[in-house]
Amino acid sequence: MAVKGVAHGHATAGTIAGFVLRIARESTTIRTQAGMAEAMGVDLATWQGWETGRRPLVNVKAGVLLDVRHRLLALGADPRVLRRIGPAMDADRVITATIHPEAGRRHPLANWVHTRETAHMIAWALNGTAPPALVRPSVTRRRGPVAQAPLLPPPVRGVFFSRLRETAESAIQAGDDGLLLHRQALYLCSYERTSAAVSWIRRQALHSSRNQLPTPGWNPRWSTARSTAAALARLGDREPLMEFIDRSIAGNESAERANLNYWAYWFGAIRDAQPGDHFMRREAVGWDPVRLLHGLASGLHQAPAYRELYVHSLWALLTTNRWLPQADPALADGLAAHAAQLLDRGGISRRARRELSAVHYVLGENRA
């Protein structure tokens, strides 16, 4: 497909990580590219190439990149921004591998389970919405137009989504070996808000429901069904997600455990990268429940499309860890206030209302 900026990958290979590097530079006392290049001991063309993505950070030697990050930290760069360079590089890999597939090379979405940080970076390139940690006021006035996001041009986005759908469909042919690639590609397809995208994902949902294993609780296709229902909720169809909670999570011990394990990984409460979805079935994964509580509480505020799933997950977490509100009283107070507003406002299912009432009670009972 002959699309300007796609043929050689210049528009995709390092754009997101380069943009994060620019934000990191702007968070230091050295605001110019020339000044930063001098401080780093590299020539100006090299630094500019890193920031623009013409010289992708993924191609930089690990030792050099580590040295750059340490020097930026010493110069006062925001640590929260520096922590996002890794997920940004992962996002660049996903986008580049989708638009420019290489024969014989596994797609990054098939290699490990991605987290919210990577998904946010990919979304940033697709719709311009900055990850929360990177939202910042304008630092300085610049001459001429300056991009405010690593947003892919519309033709490139079109190619990305088209080839991502092809990737998801071809993954199905690999059976269970293709489940991780299929479900992660399918979820990312929900960032394309077109009628064709909705229709395609609905067809995938029908395929998923036909192939869902009949055994109760977690199984290798449970994760695919969850991602498919979440993708449809993102696109405005919340009914499949509500049905999935009722039929495939609620009341089943292994499914409840899998749901919390997945959330823990998604929000960074599980720090080790996972090569596949089987970690979800483990009884003791070793995640931080306080960090998970923070993630679920923020999601309840920020992602109304998934409200039913957030409510159920908060209920499962708090009713089995009733001490959690004492770990962060300020968070518990804010979450209790938000729960009360949702209960007053309505618009949630009877199950969610019952669970949210229980959440509100636990928060009030155990606040320090």
Side-chain angles (χ1 to χ4, degrees), residues 17-349:
F19 210 94
V20 175
L21 185 66
R22 188 188 102 183
I23 295 175
R25 168 178 58 80
E26 291 175 343
S27 70
T28 72
T29 57
I30 302 176
R31 299 289 172 78
T32 67
Q33 291 179 329
M36 186 58 70
E38 181 179 359
M40 291 291 167
V42 300
D43 60 79
L44 178 58
T46 295
W47 187 269
Q48 290 176 332
W50 289 344
E51 284 197 12
T52 61
R54 290 193 303 269
R55 297 184 178 185
L57 289 180
V58 295
N59 296 336
V60 175
K61 291 182 178 178
V64 173
L65 182 58
L66 185 63
D67 185 56
V68 168
R69 294 175 65 171
H70 286 168
R71 290 192 183 191
L72 282 168
L73 186 63
L75 291 169
D78 188 336
R80 296 172 301 172
V81 176
L82 294 177
R83 284 196 295 270
R84 270 64 189 187
I85 291 178
M89 292 167 65
D90 287 339
D92 280 327
R93 289 189 185 97
V94 170
I95 293 176
T96 302
T98 302
I99 296 177
H100 310 284
E102 296 183 29
R105 174 169 291 190
R106 282 169 61 88
H107 195 286
L109 293 174
N111 289 334
W112 73 95
V113 183
H114 289 266
T115 66
R116 181 180 64 161
E117 296 290 352
T118 302
H120 279 174
M121 291 294 173
I122 295 172
W124 195 20
L126 298 175
N127 59 31
T129 301
L134 299 183
V135 175
R136 74 208 194 288
S138 179
V139 178
T140 58
R141 291 183 178 273
R142 302 180 182 87
R143 296 178 181 177
V146 176
Q148 298 302 308
L151 191 63
L152 297 179
V156 180
R157 292 201 299 272
V159 173
F160 171 76
F161 282 120
S162 175
R163 294 184 179 171
L164 191 64
R165 288 193 293 270
E166 293 172 2
T167 298
E169 290 172 353
S170 64
I172 297 176
Q173 308 306 317
D176 285 356
D177 289 340
L179 287 176
L180 181 62
L181 174 58
H182 172 70
R183 79 162 183 85
Q184 296 199 125
L186 184 147
Y187 179 78
L188 291 178
C189 284
S190 68
Y191 285 104
E192 184 183 23
R193 296 176 176 273
T194 65
S195 57
V198 175
S199 298
W200 181 84
I201 292 178
R202 282 176 177 159
R203 290 197 298 273
Q204 298 301 307
L206 288 174
H207 178 87
S208 177
S209 64
R210 293 192 198 103
N211 289 278
Q212 179 73 26
L213 296 181
T215 55
W218 188 91
N219 62 68
R221 297 183 184 275
W222 180 92
S223 308
T224 298
R226 185 186 188 279
S227 291
T228 305
L232 287 170
R234 172 183 290 281
L235 293 170
D237 184 0
R238 303 182 186 181
E239 195 64 31
L241 184 58
M242 295 171 65
E243 291 180 1
F244 179 78
I245 296 168
D246 288 338
R247 298 178 181 178
S248 301
I249 302 181
N252 184 278
E253 183 178 350
S254 68
E256 296 282 13
R257 179 171 62 247
N259 182 55
L260 289 183
N261 283 345
Y262 181 71
W263 275 131
Y265 184 79
W266 181 253
F267 287 120
I270 297 175
R271 298 186 180 276
D272 294 333
Q274 300 295 325
D277 288 336
H278 285 77
F279 76 95
M280 299 181 195
R281 66 181 178 181
R282 299 177 198 158
E283 291 190 17
V285 180
W287 42 263
D288 178 4
V290 178
R291 183 160 185 169
L292 177 55
L293 179 61
H294 275 263
L296 292 174
S298 67
L300 187 63
H301 281 274
Q302 298 168 5
Y306 308 131
R307 182 174 295 150
E308 296 272 334
L309 183 56
Y310 277 116
V311 167
H312 180 79
S313 303
L314 280 165
W315 169 82
L317 178 65
L318 286 169
T319 54
T320 54
N321 297 273
R322 302 181 77 91
W323 56 270
L324 268 177
Q326 300 176 16
D328 193 330
L331 174 66
D333 287 342
L335 182 56
H338 187 52
Q341 291 175 0
L342 292 177
L343 288 169
D344 290 341
R345 188 186 311 159
I348 56 177
S349 68

